[in-house]
Amino acid sequence: MRKEMKICLPVYKVLYSAAFIVILSIIRGISRISEIGLAMEPPVGLLALVFCADTYWIEIQSKRAEVFKLCPLKKQAGAVRKRLAIQMVFLTGCSAMGYGMFYWQKPMAVTGGEQLAEFLVFLAAITVTIMFWGTLSMTICNIFRNIWAGIGCTLFLWMTLNSQAGDRILGKYNIFSYTFRDSYDITNLSWLWGKGISLLITLALAAAVPLILKKREAAL
């Protein structure tokens, strides 16, 4: 585990992700606590797609691909999934801390129970968001065999879904359904459809890791 953490969490990635979260809490204005999640979800999704894009590609960049190929396919897939999990836990932790940083803006207060409920809902939603965009960007990078092409395609999808057109067309089935929800109506849980779809796609992509690695390595 320590070895995988060293590979997938280099110092520069830790620093730029922490800086991103801090800057976001400074420049993105909010007035109510329920707006913190809306302010954070799209940017954190963007951070996740950049952060996780090189989960496998780093083996090629560091010229370890030939050695990595010698391991059984099952072990390779396990290492990639483990790295994804480590990065996602790190980004979720950063997001949780970033949520607290927004309190410097002194948003409209609610009762303690409501604050805790808002935070727990945010934590669940942002975890799925990070899982989806991180896994998707890694997958597309490996399919295209080019990290920049992969990030570019994923970014285009991010921009499409994080738009009024995306909300109008997909509604509650949008990957960003949590962002576009009515934050004044906490009883409306229709946005869970979008998160459920995100989770299913993520699990399918994670299950496809061995197949993608096999095709990727055959082309090396």
CSV table of all heavy atoms in Angstrom, one decimal, residues 48-88:
chain,number,residue,atom,x,y,z
A,48,ALA,N,-10.7,15.8,-10.2
A,48,ALA,CA,-10.6,14.4,-10.2
A,48,ALA,C,-10.2,13.8,-11.5
A,48,ALA,O,-9.4,12.9,-11.7
A,48,ALA,CB,-11.9,13.7,-9.7
A,49,LEU,N,-10.8,14.4,-12.6
A,49,LEU,CA,-10.5,13.9,-13.9
A,49,LEU,C,-9.0,14.2,-14.3
A,49,LEU,O,-8.4,13.4,-15.0
A,49,LEU,CB,-11.5,14.4,-15.0
A,49,LEU,CG,-11.3,15.8,-15.5
A,49,LEU,CD1,-10.4,15.9,-16.7
A,49,LEU,CD2,-12.7,16.3,-16.0
A,50,VAL,N,-8.5,15.3,-13.9
A,50,VAL,CA,-7.0,15.6,-14.1
A,50,VAL,C,-6.1,14.8,-13.2
A,50,VAL,O,-5.1,14.2,-13.6
A,50,VAL,CB,-6.8,17.1,-13.9
A,50,VAL,CG1,-5.3,17.4,-14.1
A,50,VAL,CG2,-7.6,17.9,-15.0
A,51,PHE,N,-6.5,14.7,-11.9
A,51,PHE,CA,-5.7,14.0,-10.9
A,51,PHE,C,-5.5,12.5,-11.2
A,51,PHE,O,-4.4,12.0,-11.0
A,51,PHE,CB,-6.4,14.2,-9.6
A,51,PHE,CG,-5.5,13.9,-8.4
A,51,PHE,CD1,-4.8,14.9,-7.8
A,51,PHE,CD2,-5.5,12.6,-7.8
A,51,PHE,CE1,-4.0,14.6,-6.7
A,51,PHE,CE2,-4.7,12.4,-6.7
A,51,PHE,CZ,-3.9,13.4,-6.1
A,52,CYS,N,-6.6,11.9,-11.7
A,52,CYS,CA,-6.6,10.4,-11.8
A,52,CYS,C,-6.2,10.0,-13.3
A,52,CYS,O,-6.1,8.8,-13.5
A,52,CYS,CB,-7.9,9.8,-11.4
A,52,CYS,SG,-8.4,10.1,-9.7
A,53,ALA,N,-6.1,10.9,-14.2
A,53,ALA,CA,-5.9,10.5,-15.6
A,53,ALA,C,-4.7,9.6,-15.8
A,53,ALA,O,-4.7,8.7,-16.6
A,53,ALA,CB,-5.8,11.8,-16.4
A,54,ASP,N,-3.6,9.9,-15.1
A,54,ASP,CA,-2.3,9.1,-15.3
A,54,ASP,C,-2.2,7.9,-14.4
A,54,ASP,O,-1.1,7.4,-14.2
A,54,ASP,CB,-1.1,10.1,-15.1
A,54,ASP,CG,-1.0,10.6,-13.7
A,54,ASP,OD1,-1.9,10.4,-12.9
A,54,ASP,OD2,0.1,11.2,-13.4
A,55,THR,N,-3.3,7.4,-13.8
A,55,THR,CA,-3.2,6.3,-12.9
A,55,THR,C,-2.4,5.1,-13.4
A,55,THR,O,-1.6,4.5,-12.7
A,55,THR,CB,-4.6,5.9,-12.5
A,55,THR,OG1,-5.3,7.0,-11.8
A,55,THR,CG2,-4.5,4.7,-11.5
A,56,TYR,N,-2.7,4.8,-14.7
A,56,TYR,CA,-1.9,3.7,-15.3
A,56,TYR,C,-0.8,4.3,-16.2
A,56,TYR,O,0.3,3.8,-16.3
A,56,TYR,CB,-2.8,2.9,-16.2
A,56,TYR,CG,-2.0,1.9,-17.1
A,56,TYR,CD1,-1.3,0.8,-16.5
A,56,TYR,CD2,-1.8,2.1,-18.4
A,56,TYR,CE1,-0.5,-0.1,-17.2
A,56,TYR,CE2,-1.1,1.2,-19.2
A,56,TYR,CZ,-0.4,0.1,-18.6
A,56,TYR,OH,0.4,-0.7,-19.3
A,57,TRP,N,-1.0,5.5,-16.8
A,57,TRP,CA,-0.1,6.1,-17.7
A,57,TRP,C,1.3,6.4,-17.1
A,57,TRP,O,2.3,6.5,-17.7
A,57,TRP,CB,-0.7,7.3,-18.3
A,57,TRP,CG,0.1,7.8,-19.6
A,57,TRP,CD1,1.0,8.8,-19.7
A,57,TRP,CD2,-0.1,7.3,-20.9
A,57,TRP,NE1,1.5,8.9,-21.0
A,57,TRP,CE2,0.8,8.0,-21.7
A,57,TRP,CE3,-0.9,6.3,-21.4
A,57,TRP,CZ2,0.9,7.7,-23.1
A,57,TRP,CZ3,-0.8,6.0,-22.8
A,57,TRP,CH2,0.1,6.7,-23.6
A,58,ILE,N,1.2,6.6,-15.8
A,58,ILE,CA,2.5,6.9,-15.0
A,58,ILE,C,3.5,5.8,-15.2
A,58,ILE,O,4.7,6.0,-15.1
A,58,ILE,CB,2.2,7.2,-13.5
A,58,ILE,CG1,3.3,7.8,-12.9
A,58,ILE,CG2,1.8,5.9,-12.8
A,58,ILE,CD1,3.0,8.4,-11.5
A,59,GLU,N,3.0,4.5,-15.4
A,59,GLU,CA,3.9,3.4,-15.6
A,59,GLU,C,4.7,3.6,-16.9
A,59,GLU,O,5.9,3.3,-17.0
A,59,GLU,CB,3.1,2.1,-15.7
A,59,GLU,CG,2.5,1.7,-14.4
A,59,GLU,CD,3.5,1.3,-13.3
A,59,GLU,OE1,4.6,0.9,-13.7
A,59,GLU,OE2,3.1,1.3,-12.1
A,60,ILE,N,4.1,4.2,-17.9
A,60,ILE,CA,4.7,4.4,-19.2
A,60,ILE,C,5.7,5.6,-19.1
A,60,ILE,O,6.8,5.6,-19.6
A,60,ILE,CB,3.7,4.6,-20.3
A,60,ILE,CG1,2.8,3.4,-20.4
A,60,ILE,CG2,4.3,5.0,-21.6
A,60,ILE,CD1,1.6,3.5,-21.4
A,61,GLN,N,5.2,6.7,-18.4
A,61,GLN,CA,6.0,7.9,-18.3
A,61,GLN,C,7.3,7.6,-17.5
A,61,GLN,O,8.3,8.2,-17.8
A,61,GLN,CB,5.2,9.0,-17.6
A,61,GLN,CG,4.0,9.5,-18.4
A,61,GLN,CD,3.2,10.5,-17.6
A,61,GLN,OE1,2.9,10.4,-16.4
A,61,GLN,NE2,2.8,11.6,-18.3
A,62,SER,N,7.2,6.7,-16.5
A,62,SER,CA,8.4,6.4,-15.7
A,62,SER,C,9.2,5.3,-16.2
A,62,SER,O,10.1,4.8,-15.5
A,62,SER,CB,7.9,6.1,-14.2
A,62,SER,OG,7.0,5.0,-14.2
A,63,LYS,N,8.8,4.8,-17.4
A,63,LYS,CA,9.5,3.7,-18.1
A,63,LYS,C,9.5,2.4,-17.3
A,63,LYS,O,10.4,1.6,-17.3
A,63,LYS,CB,10.9,4.1,-18.4
A,63,LYS,CG,11.0,5.3,-19.3
A,63,LYS,CD,12.4,5.7,-19.7
A,63,LYS,CE,12.4,6.9,-20.6
A,63,LYS,NZ,13.8,7.4,-20.9
A,64,ARG,N,8.3,2.1,-16.6
A,64,ARG,CA,8.2,0.9,-15.8
A,64,ARG,C,7.2,0.0,-16.5
A,64,ARG,O,6.9,-1.1,-16.0
A,64,ARG,CB,7.7,1.2,-14.4
A,64,ARG,CG,8.7,1.9,-13.5
A,64,ARG,CD,8.3,1.9,-12.0
A,64,ARG,NE,6.9,2.4,-11.9
A,64,ARG,CZ,6.7,3.6,-11.5
A,64,ARG,NH1,7.6,4.5,-11.2
A,64,ARG,NH2,5.4,4.0,-11.3
A,65,ALA,N,6.7,0.4,-17.7
A,65,ALA,CA,5.6,-0.4,-18.3
A,65,ALA,C,6.1,-1.9,-18.6
A,65,ALA,O,5.3,-2.8,-18.4
A,65,ALA,CB,5.2,0.3,-19.6
A,66,GLU,N,7.3,-2.1,-19.1
A,66,GLU,CA,7.8,-3.4,-19.4
A,66,GLU,C,7.8,-4.3,-18.2
A,66,GLU,O,7.5,-5.5,-18.2
A,66,GLU,CB,9.1,-3.3,-20.1
A,66,GLU,CG,9.1,-2.7,-21.4
A,66,GLU,CD,8.3,-3.4,-22.4
A,66,GLU,OE1,8.2,-4.7,-22.4
A,66,GLU,OE2,7.6,-2.8,-23.2
A,67,VAL,N,8.2,-3.7,-17.0
A,67,VAL,CA,8.3,-4.5,-15.8
A,67,VAL,C,6.8,-4.8,-15.3
A,67,VAL,O,6.5,-5.9,-14.9
A,67,VAL,CB,9.0,-3.7,-14.7
A,67,VAL,CG1,9.0,-4.5,-13.4
A,67,VAL,CG2,10.5,-3.5,-15.2
A,68,PHE,N,6.0,-3.8,-15.4
A,68,PHE,CA,4.6,-3.9,-15.0
A,68,PHE,C,3.9,-5.0,-15.8
A,68,PHE,O,3.1,-5.8,-15.2
A,68,PHE,CB,3.9,-2.6,-15.2
A,68,PHE,CG,2.5,-2.5,-14.5
A,68,PHE,CD1,2.5,-2.4,-13.1
A,68,PHE,CD2,1.3,-2.5,-15.2
A,68,PHE,CE1,1.2,-2.3,-12.4
A,68,PHE,CE2,0.1,-2.4,-14.5
A,68,PHE,CZ,0.1,-2.3,-13.2
A,69,LYS,N,4.2,-5.1,-17.1
A,69,LYS,CA,3.6,-6.1,-17.9
A,69,LYS,C,4.0,-7.6,-17.5
A,69,LYS,O,3.2,-8.5,-17.8
A,69,LYS,CB,4.0,-5.9,-19.4
A,69,LYS,CG,3.3,-4.8,-20.1
A,69,LYS,CD,3.9,-4.6,-21.5
A,69,LYS,CE,3.7,-5.8,-22.4
A,69,LYS,NZ,4.2,-5.5,-23.7
A,70,LEU,N,5.1,-7.7,-16.8
A,70,LEU,CA,5.5,-9.1,-16.4
A,70,LEU,C,4.6,-9.6,-15.3
A,70,LEU,O,4.6,-10.8,-15.1
A,70,LEU,CB,6.9,-9.0,-15.9
A,70,LEU,CG,8.0,-8.7,-17.0
A,70,LEU,CD1,9.4,-8.6,-16.4
A,70,LEU,CD2,8.0,-9.6,-18.2
A,71,CYS,N,3.9,-8.8,-14.6
A,71,CYS,CA,3.0,-9.2,-13.5
A,71,CYS,C,1.7,-9.8,-14.1
A,71,CYS,O,1.3,-9.5,-15.2
A,71,CYS,CB,2.6,-8.0,-12.6
A,71,CYS,SG,3.9,-7.2,-11.8
A,72,PRO,N,1.1,-10.8,-13.4
A,72,PRO,CA,-0.1,-11.4,-13.9
A,72,PRO,C,-1.2,-10.3,-14.1
A,72,PRO,O,-1.2,-9.3,-13.4
A,72,PRO,CB,-0.5,-12.3,-12.8
A,72,PRO,CG,0.7,-12.6,-12.1
A,72,PRO,CD,1.6,-11.4,-12.2
A,73,LEU,N,-2.1,-10.4,-15.1
A,73,LEU,CA,-3.1,-9.4,-15.4
A,73,LEU,C,-3.9,-9.1,-14.2
A,73,LEU,O,-4.3,-7.9,-14.0
A,73,LEU,CB,-3.9,-9.9,-16.5
A,73,LEU,CG,-4.9,-8.9,-17.1
A,73,LEU,CD1,-4.2,-7.7,-17.6
A,73,LEU,CD2,-5.8,-9.5,-18.2
A,74,LYS,N,-4.2,-10.1,-13.4
A,74,LYS,CA,-5.0,-9.9,-12.2
A,74,LYS,C,-4.3,-8.9,-11.2
A,74,LYS,O,-5.0,-8.1,-10.6
A,74,LYS,CB,-5.4,-11.2,-11.5
A,74,LYS,CG,-6.3,-11.1,-10.3
A,74,LYS,CD,-6.6,-12.5,-9.8
A,74,LYS,CE,-7.6,-12.4,-8.6
A,74,LYS,NZ,-7.9,-13.7,-8.0
A,75,LYS,N,-3.0,-9.1,-11.1
A,75,LYS,CA,-2.3,-8.3,-10.2
A,75,LYS,C,-2.1,-6.9,-10.7
A,75,LYS,O,-2.2,-5.9,-9.9
A,75,LYS,CB,-0.9,-8.9,-10.0
A,75,LYS,CG,0.0,-8.2,-8.9
A,75,LYS,CD,1.3,-8.9,-8.6
A,75,LYS,CE,2.1,-8.2,-7.6
A,75,LYS,NZ,3.4,-8.9,-7.3
A,76,GLN,N,-2.0,-6.7,-12.0
A,76,GLN,CA,-1.9,-5.4,-12.6
A,76,GLN,C,-3.2,-4.6,-12.4
A,76,GLN,O,-3.2,-3.5,-12.0
A,76,GLN,CB,-1.7,-5.5,-14.1
A,76,GLN,CG,-0.4,-6.1,-14.5
A,76,GLN,CD,-0.2,-6.2,-16.0
A,76,GLN,OE1,-0.7,-5.3,-16.8
A,76,GLN,NE2,0.3,-7.3,-16.5
A,77,ALA,N,-4.4,-5.3,-12.6
A,77,ALA,CA,-5.7,-4.7,-12.4
A,77,ALA,C,-5.9,-4.3,-11.0
A,77,ALA,O,-6.4,-3.2,-10.7
A,77,ALA,CB,-6.8,-5.6,-12.9
A,78,GLY,N,-5.4,-5.2,-10.1
A,78,GLY,CA,-5.5,-4.9,-8.7
A,78,GLY,C,-4.7,-3.7,-8.3
A,78,GLY,O,-5.2,-2.8,-7.5
A,79,ALA,N,-3.5,-3.5,-8.8
A,79,ALA,CA,-2.7,-2.4,-8.5
A,79,ALA,C,-3.4,-1.1,-9.0
A,79,ALA,O,-3.4,0.0,-8.3
A,79,ALA,CB,-1.3,-2.5,-9.2
A,80,VAL,N,-3.9,-1.1,-10.3
A,80,VAL,CA,-4.6,0.1,-10.8
A,80,VAL,C,-5.8,0.5,-10.0
A,80,VAL,O,-6.0,1.6,-9.7
A,80,VAL,CB,-5.0,-0.2,-12.3
A,80,VAL,CG1,-5.9,0.9,-12.8
A,80,VAL,CG2,-3.8,-0.3,-13.2
A,81,ARG,N,-6.6,-0.5,-9.6
A,81,ARG,CA,-7.8,-0.2,-8.8
A,81,ARG,C,-7.4,0.3,-7.4
A,81,ARG,O,-8.0,1.2,-6.9
A,81,ARG,CB,-8.6,-1.5,-8.6
A,81,ARG,CG,-9.3,-1.9,-9.9
A,81,ARG,CD,-9.9,-3.3,-9.8
A,81,ARG,NE,-10.6,-3.7,-11.0
A,81,ARG,CZ,-10.9,-5.0,-11.3
A,81,ARG,NH1,-10.4,-5.9,-10.5
A,81,ARG,NH2,-11.5,-5.3,-12.4
A,82,LYS,N,-6.3,-0.2,-6.9
A,82,LYS,CA,-5.8,0.2,-5.6
A,82,LYS,C,-5.4,1.7,-5.7
A,82,LYS,O,-5.6,2.5,-4.8
A,82,LYS,CB,-4.7,-0.7,-5.1
A,82,LYS,CG,-4.3,-0.4,-3.6
A,82,LYS,CD,-3.1,-1.3,-3.2
A,82,LYS,CE,-3.6,-2.8,-3.2
A,82,LYS,NZ,-2.5,-3.7,-2.7
A,83,ARG,N,-4.7,2.0,-6.7
A,83,ARG,CA,-4.2,3.4,-6.9
A,83,ARG,C,-5.4,4.4,-7.1
A,83,ARG,O,-5.4,5.5,-6.6
A,83,ARG,CB,-3.3,3.5,-8.1
A,83,ARG,CG,-2.0,2.8,-7.9
A,83,ARG,CD,-1.1,2.8,-9.2
A,83,ARG,NE,0.0,1.8,-9.1
A,83,ARG,CZ,0.8,1.6,-10.1
A,83,ARG,NH1,0.7,2.1,-11.3
A,83,ARG,NH2,1.8,0.7,-9.9
A,84,LEU,N,-6.4,3.9,-7.9
A,84,LEU,CA,-7.6,4.7,-8.0
A,84,LEU,C,-8.2,5.0,-6.7
A,84,LEU,O,-8.6,6.1,-6.3
A,84,LEU,CB,-8.6,4.0,-9.0
A,84,LEU,CG,-8.5,4.3,-10.5
A,84,LEU,CD1,-9.5,3.5,-11.2
A,84,LEU,CD2,-8.7,5.8,-10.7
A,85,ALA,N,-8.3,3.9,-5.9
A,85,ALA,CA,-9.0,4.0,-4.6
A,85,ALA,C,-8.2,5.0,-3.7
A,85,ALA,O,-8.8,5.8,-3.0
A,85,ALA,CB,-9.1,2.7,-3.9
A,86,ILE,N,-6.9,4.9,-3.7
A,86,ILE,CA,-6.1,5.8,-2.8
A,86,ILE,C,-6.3,7.2,-3.2
A,86,ILE,O,-6.5,8.1,-2.4
A,86,ILE,CB,-4.6,5.4,-3.0
A,86,ILE,CG1,-4.3,4.1,-2.3
A,86,ILE,CG2,-3.7,6.5,-2.3
A,86,ILE,CD1,-2.9,3.5,-2.6
A,87,GLN,N,-6.3,7.5,-4.6
A,87,GLN,CA,-6.5,8.9,-5.0
A,87,GLN,C,-7.8,9.4,-4.7
A,87,GLN,O,-8.0,10.6,-4.3
A,87,GLN,CB,-6.2,8.9,-6.5
A,87,GLN,CG,-4.8,8.7,-6.9
A,87,GLN,CD,-4.6,8.6,-8.4
A,87,GLN,OE1,-4.1,9.5,-9.1
A,87,GLN,NE2,-5.0,7.5,-9.0
A,88,MET,N,-8.8,8.5,-4.8
A,88,MET,CA,-10.2,8.9,-4.5
A,88,MET,C,-10.4,9.2,-3.0
A,88,MET,O,-11.1,10.2,-2.7
A,88,MET,CB,-11.2,7.9,-5.0
A,88,MET,CG,-11.3,7.7,-6.5
A,88,MET,SD,-12.2,6.3,-7.0
A,88,MET,CE,-12.0,6.5,-8.8
